[in-house]
Amino acid sequence: MKERLRELEQEAIEKVTTANSLQALQDVRIEYLGKKGPITEVLRGMGKLSAEERPVIGALANEVRAAIQTNIEEKQDYLQQQALEAKLAEETIDVTLPGRPVKRGNAHPLTQIIEEIEDLFIGMGYTIAEGPEVETDRYNFEMLNLPKGHPARDMQDSFYISEETLLRTHTSPVQARTMEAHKGKGPVKIICPGKVYRRDADDATHSHQFTQIEGLVVDKDIRMTDLKGTLDVFAKRMFGEDRSIRLRPSFFPFTEPSVEMDISCKMCDGKGCSVCKGTGWIEILGAGMVHPNVLEMAGFDSNEYTGFAFGMGPERIAMLKYGIEDIRNFYGNDQRFLHQFHRPSEEGGR
Ligand code: DAH
């Protein structure tokens, strides 16, 4: 019986040595130490032994069992450690590998143009003003010298919400709101970018929703030459130092006199081409000296204060600057279009 036990110990230890997975090890444990295993069987047969032999065999059986047990545990630790190391090796992060490019978006071209214009005017001491897109008839028209029934209201087909409210047709109501808030005291020096709405059929040059930037300066001794100088700086900064401007007489109910500003055509350098329709000039914006009625209605003394104002369309400016032919490109959200306007700070994985 002693030999049988030693043999079993030998066998089990050999199997532990060759077991190379935790499952194989578990099988050895069940085979040798389980209830139906050979050692249990030996112990069961002890009844047949003499009284002297019994404690000796019993002790030996326990010793063998303990030896196998320890062996299995050591091997188990080893296999577990190995499995952990294999897992760690597999999951190693190579920090020197280049990262996967992250798709970066970029500011919408109109946002970029608006920011560029904002920066330019902030540099000249202007602040940014804003107003509501759902506007009252009073600010959108009346305070701008366009009383009810005024024929010039037809120039701006409107989306009315009720008799007295509409989607603003231009950013000019912010002029009236800002002047009113100043309670008759200058200086006022603002630009106002924002969305405007008109009941137009969409085509390559019209959109029922577009953007505008309004400018307004009110102070003592503001003259037409101040307007011209400001617009000249603006035109050169936006379109190049070699551009020149001209002012043509025009009409807006809220300015007197009113002008339209053209820049010399970059394509033909003023000689006349298809872009400028042979005139050598391209229309950019409307402007003028703030009408005394507008000053008075907003609470300014028109004998003391004068001002100039201008209004422009960032879409038109972007179209001219980048050669975009259809205004609808700005609103189609086509990534192929939008991604062409990455700024240097926005370069990177696209
Ligand atoms: N509000 C005008 C429009 O939408 C643009 C404009 C013209 C604004 C002359 C002005 C201005 O402030 O002085 O057509």
Side-chain angles (χ1 to χ4, degrees):
M1 211 166 235
K2 270 187 200 164
E3 284 83 72
R4 176 77 187 125
L5 281 168
R6 286 292 176 209
E7 243 175 60
L8 285 172
E9 182 181 6
Q10 207 51 45
E11 246 179 65
I13 286 170
E14 247 162 57
K15 285 201 179 167
V16 169
T17 315
T18 52
N20 52 14
S21 72
L22 287 167
Q23 186 55 50
L25 199 61
Q26 180 66 3
D27 293 345
V28 178
R29 184 200 300 277
I30 292 165
E31 187 179 344
Y32 287 89
L33 304 179
K35 281 196 191 95
K36 291 175 190 152
I39 296 175
T40 316
E41 212 159 279
V42 170
L43 290 173
R44 262 197 215 119
M46 289 229 304
K48 294 177 197 136
L49 297 173
S50 68
E52 297 92 70
E53 261 181 326
R54 220 175 283 158
V56 181
I57 297 295
L60 181 65
N62 282 335
E63 190 189 304
V64 168
R65 195 209 289 264
I68 298 174
Q69 180 74 27
T70 317
N71 226 263
I72 289 177
E73 272 164 19
E74 276 170 12
K75 183 71 186 248
Q76 184 173 326
D77 285 350
Y78 169 77
L79 287 175
Q80 272 170 351
Q81 183 64 27
Q82 251 198 346
L84 181 65
E85 272 164 26
K87 191 160 188 242
L88 286 175
E90 190 182 305
E91 289 173 4
T92 307
I93 295 167
D94 181 354
V95 292
T96 65
L97 276 177
R100 288 197 193 95
V102 177
K103 261 198 174 200
R104 286 189 69 181
N106 57 283
H108 191 280
L110 283 179
T111 306
Q112 293 188 32
I113 286 282
I114 290 169
E115 284 178 1
E116 199 178 322
I117 297 170
E118 280 177 356
D119 283 351
L120 167 56
F121 281 100
I122 287 170
M124 296 198 280
Y126 288 65
T127 53
I128 311 273
E130 283 183 336
E133 286 173 33
V134 178
E135 189 50 285
T136 57
D137 187 273
R138 183 172 125 84
Y139 286 108
N140 195 78
F141 291 128
E142 283 170 47
M143 296 279 283
L144 295 167
N145 211 22
L146 277 146
K148 287 202 163 72
H150 193 290
R153 284 189 177 206
D154 286 353
M155 285 159 69
Q156 303 183 357
D157 269 342
S158 317
F159 288 117
Y160 275 91
I161 288 166
S162 69
E163 273 298 289
E164 293 300 325
T165 47
L166 70 160
L167 297 179
R168 68 179 177 192
T169 55
H170 49 180
T171 43
S172 303
V174 187
Q175 281 191 27
R177 286 180 173 276
T178 308
M179 278 191 273
E180 206 175 48
H182 271 74
K183 297 196 180 346
K185 267 207 140 108
V188 179
K189 210 171 170 189
I190 54 148
I191 60 161
C192 162
K195 281 189 197 134
V196 302
Y197 303 83
R198 290 200 195 164
R199 216 162 58 91
D200 275 332
D202 292 1
D203 63 23
T205 52
H206 293 84
S207 169
H208 62 281
Q209 180 237 288
F210 55 102
T211 62
Q212 278 193 341
I213 297 180
E214 190 81 10
L216 172 72
V217 173
V218 177
D219 205 351
K220 291 170 183 163
D221 293 327
I222 297 293
R223 302 156 196 229
M224 191 102 182
T225 46
D226 296 314
L227 170 63
K228 191 171 182 189
T230 304
L231 294 180
D232 193 50
V233 168
F234 161 75
K236 288 187 161 70
R237 263 322 159 74
M238 287 307 286
F239 296 101
E241 290 299 318
D242 50 349
R243 294 302 95 206
S244 46
I245 66 164
R246 75 171 183 189
L247 301 181
R248 273 182 297 109
S250 185
F251 171 80
F252 300 103
F254 28 89
T255 44
E256 182 57 38
S258 302
V259 293
E260 249 154 307
M261 182 195 88
D262 299 341
I263 56 163
S264 55
C265 180
K266 201 177 180 113
M267 290 297 174
C268 58
D269 212 13
K271 286 185 203 70
C273 68
S274 62
V275 173
C276 57
K277 299 190 185 88
T279 64
W281 295 93
I282 292 174
E283 185 188 320
I284 299 289
L285 52 77
M289 300 307 288
V290 182
H291 197 292
N293 287 354
V294 173
L295 287 168
E296 294 287 342
M297 275 188 280
F300 275 81
D301 181 348
S302 64
N303 293 314
E304 206 184 338
Y305 283 99
T306 49
F308 67 73
F310 53 87
M312 63 179 102
E315 282 84 349
R316 181 162 173 76
I317 290 167
M319 286 167 88
L320 289 169
K321 206 171 148 109
Y322 301 125
I324 298 162
E325 275 164 8
D326 194 321
I327 195 170
R328 289 167 293 196
N329 280 323
F330 292 114
Y331 311 111
N333 284 336
D334 186 331
Q335 299 286 311
R336 292 167 302 180
F337 173 74
L338 297 173
H339 278 314
Q340 294 175 51
F341 299 93
H342 267 272
R343 290 183 281 200
S345 61
E346 293 162 339
E347 289 303 331
R350 291 182 190 175

